Amino acid sequence: MPKVVVAFHSGYGHTKLIAEHVVKGAASVPGVAASLVNIAELPGPNADRSYPVQWNELHAADAIIFGCPTYMGDVSWQMKKFMEDASGIWFTQAWKDKLAAGFANSGGLSGDKLHTLHTLSVFAAQQSMVWVTTGVMPSIYTGDGKNLNRLSSFSGLMTQSGQGAPEASTDPADRLTAEAFGKRVAEAAVRWTKGR
Amino acid sequence: MPKVVVAFHSGYGHTKLIAEHVVKGAASVPGVAASLVNIAELPGPNADRSYPVQWNELHAADAIIFGCPTYMGDVSWQMKKFMEDASGIWFTQAWKDKLAAGFANSGGLSGDKLHTLHTLSVFAAQQSMVWVTTGVMPSIYTGDGKNLNRLSSFSGLMTQSGQGAPEASTDPADRLTAEAFGKRVAEAAVRWTKGR
Amino acid sequence: MPKVVVAFHSGYGHTKLIAEHVVKGAASVPGVAASLVNIAELPGPNADRSYPVQWNELHAADAIIFGCPTYMGDVSWQMKKFMEDASGIWFTQAWKDKLAAGFANSGGLSGDKLHTLHTLSVFAAQQSMVWVTTGVMPSIYTGDGKNLNRLSSFSGLMTQSGQGAPEASTDPADRLTAEAFGKRVAEAAVRWTKGR
Amino acid sequence: MPKVVVAFHSGYGHTKLIAEHVVKGAASVPGVAASLVNIAELPGPNADRSYPVQWNELHAADAIIFGCPTYMGDVSWQMKKFMEDASGIWFTQAWKDKLAAGFANSGGLSGDKLHTLHTLSVFAAQQSMVWVTTGVMPSIYTGDGKNLNRLSSFSGLMTQSGQGAPEASTDPADRLTAEAFGKRVAEAAVRWTKGR
């Protein structure tokens, strides 16, 4: 049973809401187990460089979808610290050939979210993971009227939110896009796992 | 008299319209001469590696603002070819210490415009130019009601347009932002020139 | 039988030599058909937006590895033009779910090759392809004495060459890394094809 | 008297050594005051969003050169946290029109140092600073025999070090390049300050 984990950090709840929709989309694929891991709650590696049990869900994943806000043009420092905590995994290449994907939320329509996605994909590349792209054609080109992939992002999912409560200040189309994106990664995980 | 040149390529006229507003903003600064150069009309270097006279305006500029559409995630190939035509300038570092800045237009709200801006800034860095950033705070943060820097771009100007005629399918706020951006680069050129 | 195509452009033969080693590595995987396509020789789309027969090998590929020199900080303009020629493929998403990977050669040890790799991966993302990373741990960390992944690149293959003849001015370790990289992409193609 | 501050983080002393050489180069320019600030020692903003006195040196700078190691493909988390601590400065745009520049050190020859430089330049752009590029032509092109800009980096300074003691495991040419880079930024600060 392919496992998809959404590994996220959220400062004020908006990215968490998006993460939940990504999980929802992943879980909609028959046979896929999807779950959320808040990376800000993960303890760092032990003194002997082994990893606390809280990391087990990540180790067991077939695909990990990384997501966080864009703060001052890049991933949040909590996400960056998680990446460095994962350097012991890099050294042994223990996550090699897992699938990876990424998403970024911020207050601006574009802002520097692409840079955040690149930070996530560069990290995944260091881990020798395989990067699954957004795979959701923007509605401005398909004319399906759903406003999917509203921000036209291809390297990963971009969403935009205001400063109010998460439900009220995120766009319904972004939440739908998050579901389509989660579904795509899960389908890739099914295929990739089956082909092992 | 500081000279600001907007060196652009436009596929269907939208980027040209934005370029004209950038020039308008630059020209609004007292004592600045601002002009447009369509890089798609520049002949390549001569056989002896010297440059045809059409390049003189660029050579004489104190600041060059590069702009083009984002096609398939990066600068247009015409812009890229221009960059390679300019490799003889790189070799002699003849543009060293000129100011540079960049803008990108595309159909999506975000898309990969940041990547296009990075291609332009990487090119400017190879030429040892000094990169002037957007400098226009998004109205979503200032609350000035003008919708300036609508897409929240800081490394350069981002604008978005539809597929209709340029005037009708670009956002008035983007055109105003283009003017503010052109003005900022021209003011930097005045300061940089004065300090020589 | 999984098909891997190396789609390259080479200015002076160095990148072509690397491309040949990537193909050699891919072809070493049992059951994989690997071939080279020089994208500078591909005619653009027909007037009716269909593609000439020379594109068939790309259409039929399970994985496409894109590679080119880094000129003035980005992909060569020929590679960029190819990307724009492929915009009709983007519109129909005909290459969706193919695997992709990338490589970049230049004269400097680092230079802006990472930017070139990002241009290639952004293009692949627009095509909704799935990006296979380098997957070759640098010998400086493994201590295997082979000088593999000499430049420590993870998002794709980086190689460096001098200005002499290709054989003489590329590093044997880079050629070996190219083979390991080609092999990795081919193995991923086997797995991805099997899991369909 | 133009002030240049090198704002750095160093994990094991290698980046600190490079930072010291950047300061040395900056201080070699007549009339320039150059100093080091270890950003890992800066306390975050006060509860009322004002900044502790330790930030005064940064506030007073005419140019800030940001530098840190590349860990897992991006700036160190300490540098990223500093950037977020500086978001109150961003909101008031208090650093607008200061000069900025960046450097990155890592164990690989290329690695993802360009991505680190882009994180630094994206941050500087958010602060509406003006980005000064490396400005040191690689010796492989000038033939001066000094091995300057050994890694061929243009958007900022790249250096590479081994895992031994900083003096022993950094390249003398990288240290010289750091000095040339610091000198360039200081000269730009003189010009920019004079032109105010």
Side-chain angles (χ1 to χ4, degrees):
Chain A
M1 189 178 198
K3 294 179 201 303
V4 176
V5 175
V6 176
F8 77 101
H9 168 246
S10 181
Y12 302 94
H14 304 82
T15 305
K16 181 166 187 281
L17 180 65
I18 298 299
E20 289 165 351
H21 283 275
V22 174
V23 163
K24 183 180 171 187
S28 75
V29 175
V32 166
S35 61
L36 276 177
V37 168
N38 184 340
I39 58 94
E41 295 172 356
L42 285 182
N46 299 315
D48 66 354
R49 300 195 181 181
S50 67
Y51 284 83
V53 292
Q54 292 91 330
W55 288 68
N56 287 355
E57 200 159 340
L58 293 169
H59 294 319
D62 296 290
I64 306 178
I65 308 177
F66 303 98
C68 65
T70 296
Y71 288 153
M72 299 309 296
D74 197 8
V75 296
S76 61
W77 70 262
Q78 289 89 344
M79 178 57 79
K80 186 67 222 315
K81 187 169 185 306
F82 159 76
M83 291 178 183
E84 293 178 34
D85 284 344
S87 62
I89 296 162
W90 167 79
F91 193 72
T92 60
Q93 292 281 291
W95 288 0
K96 188 175 183 177
D97 287 336
K98 286 184 194 301
L99 298 185
F103 62 99
N105 185 70
S106 73
L109 287 170
S110 173
D112 294 308
K113 283 192 281 268
L114 180 60
H115 187 71
T116 296
L117 293 177
H118 274 156
T119 296
L120 297 173
S121 69
V122 160
F123 168 73
Q126 292 226 357
Q127 300 283 7
S128 295
M129 300 170 88
V130 172
W131 189 257
V132 182
T133 54
T134 320
V136 181
M137 200 65 170
S139 292
I140 55 168
Y141 300 110
T142 62
D144 64 11
K146 294 181 179 173
N147 208 15
L148 288 176
N149 200 354
R150 181 172 65 105
L151 307 179
S152 289
S153 176
F154 298 92
S155 296
L157 171 69
M158 289 185 192
T159 58
Q160 178 268 339
S161 62
Q163 295 181 2
E167 280 290 345
S169 61
T170 52
D171 194 297
D174 284 359
R175 300 200 294 263
L176 276 181
T177 308
E179 293 176 21
F181 170 64
K183 182 165 178 284
R184 165 169 166 80
V185 178
E187 287 169 345
V190 169
R191 177 171 174 177
W192 190 242
T193 306
K194 190 174 159 202
R196 189 182 289 136
Chain B
M1 189 177 199
K3 294 179 201 303
V4 176
V5 175
V6 176
F8 77 100
H9 168 246
S10 182
Y12 301 95
H14 303 82
T15 305
K16 181 166 188 281
L17 180 65
I18 298 299
E20 290 165 351
H21 284 274
V22 174
V23 163
K24 183 181 170 187
S28 74
V29 175
V32 166
S35 61
L36 276 177
V37 168
N38 183 340
I39 58 95
E41 294 172 357
L42 286 181
N46 299 315
D48 66 355
R49 301 196 180 180
S50 66
Y51 284 83
V53 292
Q54 292 91 331
W55 287 69
N56 287 355
E57 201 160 340
L58 292 169
H59 294 319
D62 296 288
I64 307 177
I65 307 176
F66 303 98
C68 64
T70 297
Y71 288 153
M72 298 309 294
D74 198 8
V75 297
S76 62
W77 70 262
Q78 289 89 344
M79 177 58 77
K80 186 67 221 318
K81 188 169 185 304
F82 159 76
M83 290 179 184
E84 293 178 34
D85 284 345
S87 62
I89 295 161
W90 166 79
F91 193 72
T92 60
Q93 292 281 291
W95 287 0
K96 188 176 182 177
D97 287 336
K98 286 184 195 298
L99 298 185
F103 62 100
N105 185 71
S106 75
L109 288 170
S110 174
D112 294 308
K113 284 192 280 271
L114 180 60
H115 188 71
T116 297
L117 292 177
H118 273 157
T119 297
L120 297 173
S121 69
V122 160
F123 168 74
Q126 293 227 355
Q127 300 282 7
S128 296
M129 299 170 90
V130 172
W131 188 257
V132 182
T133 54
T134 321
V136 181
M137 200 65 170
S139 292
I140 55 167
Y141 300 110
T142 62
D144 64 10
K146 293 180 179 173
N147 207 14
L148 289 176
N149 201 353
R150 182 171 64 105
L151 308 179
S152 290
S153 176
F154 297 92
S155 296
L157 172 71
M158 290 185 191
T159 58
Q160 178 269 338
S161 63
Q163 296 181 1
E167 281 289 345
S169 60
T170 51
D171 195 296
D174 284 359
R175 301 200 294 264
L176 276 180
T177 308
E179 293 175 20
F181 170 65
K183 183 165 176 285
R184 166 170 164 80
V185 178
E187 286 169 345
V190 168
R191 178 172 173 176
W192 190 241
T193 306
K194 190 174 157 202
R196 190 183 288 137
Chain C
M1 189 176 199
K3 293 179 201 304
V4 176
V5 175
V6 176
F8 77 100
H9 168 246
S10 182
Y12 301 94
H14 304 81
T15 305
K16 181 167 188 281
L17 180 65
I18 298 300
E20 289 165 352
H21 283 274
V22 174
V23 163
K24 183 180 169 187
S28 75
V29 175
V32 166
S35 61
L36 276 177
V37 168
N38 184 341
I39 58 94
E41 294 173 356
L42 286 181
N46 299 315
D48 66 355
R49 300 194 181 182
S50 66
Y51 284 83
V53 292
Q54 291 92 330
W55 287 68
N56 287 355
E57 201 159 340
L58 293 169
H59 294 319
D62 296 289
I64 306 178
I65 307 176
F66 303 99
C68 65
T70 296
Y71 288 153
M72 299 309 294
D74 198 8
V75 296
S76 62
W77 70 262
Q78 289 88 346
M79 177 58 77
K80 186 68 221 317
K81 187 169 185 304
F82 159 76
M83 291 179 183
E84 294 177 34
D85 284 345
S87 62
I89 295 162
W90 167 79
F91 193 72
T92 59
Q93 292 282 291
W95 287 0
K96 189 175 183 177
D97 288 336
K98 287 184 195 298
L99 298 185
F103 62 100
N105 184 69
S106 74
L109 288 170
S110 173
D112 294 307
K113 284 192 279 270
L114 180 60
H115 188 71
T116 296
L117 292 177
H118 273 156
T119 296
L120 297 172
S121 69
V122 160
F123 169 74
Q126 293 226 356
Q127 301 283 6
S128 295
M129 299 170 89
V130 172
W131 188 258
V132 182
T133 54
T134 321
V136 181
M137 200 63 170
S139 293
I140 55 167
Y141 300 110
T142 62
D144 64 10
K146 293 181 180 172
N147 208 15
L148 288 177
N149 201 354
R150 181 172 64 106
L151 308 179
S152 289
S153 177
F154 298 92
S155 296
L157 171 70
M158 290 185 191
T159 57
Q160 179 268 339
S161 62
Q163 296 182 0
E167 281 289 346
S169 60
T170 52
D171 194 297
D174 284 359
R175 300 201 294 265
L176 276 180
T177 308
E179 292 175 22
F181 170 65
K183 183 165 177 283
R184 167 170 164 80
V185 178
E187 287 169 344
V190 169
R191 178 171 173 176
W192 189 241
T193 306
K194 190 175 158 200
R196 190 184 287 137
Chain D
M1 189 177 198
K3 293 179 201 307
V4 176
V5 175
V6 176
F8 77 101
H9 168 246
S10 181
Y12 302 94
H14 304 81
T15 306
K16 181 166 187 280
L17 181 65
I18 298 300
E20 290 165 351
H21 284 275
V22 174
V23 163
K24 182 179 171 188
S28 75
V29 175
V32 166
S35 61
L36 276 177
V37 169
N38 184 340
I39 57 95
E41 295 173 356
L42 286 181
N46 299 314
D48 66 354
R49 300 195 181 181
S50 66
Y51 284 83
V53 292
Q54 291 91 330
W55 288 68
N56 287 355
E57 202 160 340
L58 292 169
H59 294 319
D62 296 290
I64 306 178
I65 307 176
F66 304 98
C68 66
T70 297
Y71 289 153
M72 299 309 295
D74 197 8
V75 296
S76 61
W77 69 261
Q78 290 89 343
M79 178 57 78
K80 186 66 222 316
K81 186 168 186 306
F82 159 77
M83 291 179 183
E84 293 178 34
D85 283 344
S87 62
I89 295 161
W90 167 78
F91 194 72
T92 59
Q93 292 281 291
W95 287 0
K96 188 175 182 177
D97 287 337
K98 286 185 196 298
L99 298 185
F103 62 99
N105 185 71
S106 74
L109 288 169
S110 172
D112 294 308
K113 284 192 281 269
L114 180 60
H115 187 71
T116 296
L117 292 177
H118 273 157
T119 296
L120 296 173
S121 70
V122 160
F123 168 74
Q126 292 226 357
Q127 300 283 7
S128 295
M129 299 170 90
V130 171
W131 189 257
V132 182
T133 53
T134 321
V136 181
M137 200 65 170
S139 292
I140 54 168
Y141 299 110
T142 63
D144 63 12
K146 294 180 180 173
N147 208 14
L148 288 176
N149 201 352
R150 182 171 64 107
L151 308 179
S152 289
S153 177
F154 299 92
S155 296
L157 172 70
M158 290 184 192
T159 57
Q160 178 268 341
S161 62
Q163 295 182 3
E167 281 289 346
S169 60
T170 52
D171 194 297
D174 284 359
R175 300 201 295 264
L176 276 181
T177 308
E179 293 176 20
F181 170 64
K183 183 165 178 283
R184 166 170 164 82
V185 178
E187 286 169 345
V190 168
R191 178 171 174 177
W192 189 241
T193 307
K194 189 174 159 202
R196 190 182 287 136

